[in-house]
Amino acid sequence: AQSVSQHNHHVILSEAASLELGCNYSYGGTVNLFWYVQYPGQHLQLLLKYFSGDPLVKGIKGFEAEFIKSKFSFNLRKPSVQWSDTAEYFCAVSPPGNTGKLIFGQGTTLQVKP
Amino acid sequence: DAGVTQSPTHLIKTRGQHVTLRCSPISGHKSVSWYQQVLGQGPQFIFQYYEKEERGRGNFPDRFSARQFPNYSSELNVNALLLGDSALYLCASSAETGVVGAQYFGPGTRLLVL
């Protein structure tokens, strides 16, 4: 079945460590890709998006993601995490031909230890 | 500018009842989408409306229905509630029918069915 997979369900890091969260999707064709973040007690916020062009996308709060078409991947990275990055992170894909619909991964909970 | 607003924030219903959830999009956004988020999972797409017309529907039973009003606000209705309908219901708005401008989420309505 077509889907979005996030490899890590729960990640624990110390402050200043580097972060990489994996996301793979199984849709062929042209897709739009997103990372959303949900901080404790807050609603989903858009971190970054990719539609076309430079496969390295920069988002808010120092996050970036790289689209690798051959690997159907859109991994999220941050060179140095902070305690305030503790949150749940969702990868989402807008499949080809149905741009009004987002398919979400199951989410990754990131816990950053001070 | 105000973000996406949803009401009520919390709701408790019993099995067999019906419920109406409301959403007001970001000013200027014409598209509203609804998602269901069960604890521990990513949001699942229910409906998308654009200019008062349904543009997409997810894999949900006919007990779920929605509509969009001339001011672009939207209602999600769920009839004959089941225990499994307990979830966080999210509304998202975007500027167009597609996700060219990405989707922005509201805080959600948490529904508990007893």
Side-chain angles (χ1 to χ4, degrees):
Chain A
Q2 295 179 318
S3 65
V4 178
S5 298
Q6 292 182 237
H7 313 304
N8 314 98
H9 294 291
H10 198 160
V11 173
I12 302 174
L13 295 173
S14 298
E15 275 193 314
S18 64
L19 170 71
E20 181 160 3
L21 301 182
C23 174
N24 283 90
Y25 60 94
S26 60
Y27 299 91
T30 301
V31 295
N32 296 323
L33 299 158
F34 306 84
W35 276 96
Y36 284 86
V37 61
Q38 190 166 29
Y39 297 104
Q42 297 187 27
H43 60 276
L44 275 169
Q45 298 174 37
L46 180 66
L47 262 184
L48 47 78
K49 58 186 184 286
Y50 174 80
F51 296 137
S52 63
D54 188 345
L56 186 61
V57 180
K58 294 195 183 299
I60 61 171
K61 305 187 180 186
F63 285 91
E64 64 179 30
E66 185 176 13
F67 169 53
I68 303 179
K69 189 174 182 179
S70 61
K71 294 185 178 180
F72 296 88
S73 71
F74 190 56
N75 293 353
L76 181 71
R77 299 194 293 245
K78 186 172 184 178
S80 176
V81 294
Q82 302 173 322
W83 176 79
S84 58
D85 293 324
T86 295
E88 190 155 18
Y89 293 81
F90 292 95
C91 178
V93 173
S94 177
N98 196 342
T99 54
K101 174 180 180 178
L102 289 179
I103 308 298
F104 283 83
Q106 66 270 44
T108 297
T109 301
L110 171 65
Q111 183 182 353
V112 180
K113 295 182 176 179
Chain B
D1 283 342
V4 176
T5 59
Q6 292 186 244
S7 63
T9 55
H10 295 82
L11 205 50
I12 299 175
K13 292 285 188 178
T14 56
R15 282 178 296 175
Q17 287 188 312
H18 71 272
V19 67
T20 298
L21 311 180
R22 296 177 176 83
C23 169
S24 291
I26 292 171
S27 177
H29 284 191
K30 298 180 179 180
S31 175
V32 169
S33 298
W34 287 95
Y35 293 81
Q36 181 195 66
Q37 186 177 16
V38 175
L39 198 62
Q41 297 182 20
Q44 280 199 293
F45 174 77
I46 309 175
F47 286 110
Q48 191 214 10
Y49 275 78
Y50 177 72
E51 291 281 14
K52 296 172 286 181
E53 291 187 5
E54 181 182 306
R55 293 299 181 96
R57 185 185 182 113
N59 189 24
F60 280 80
D62 291 344
R63 299 184 295 107
F64 288 77
S65 64
R67 56 180 177 167
Q68 187 177 31
F69 299 100
N71 66 354
Y72 304 112
S73 67
S74 178
E75 283 182 355
L76 175 70
N77 294 283
V78 186
N79 293 323
L81 285 167
L82 303 174
L83 296 179
D85 294 331
S86 295
L88 181 67
Y89 289 86
L90 298 169
C91 174
S93 76
S94 60
E96 301 178 4
T97 182
V99 291
V100 175
Q103 294 188 16
Y104 297 90
F105 285 82
T109 293
R110 190 164 297 280
L111 172 65
L112 177 61
V113 182
L114 300 176

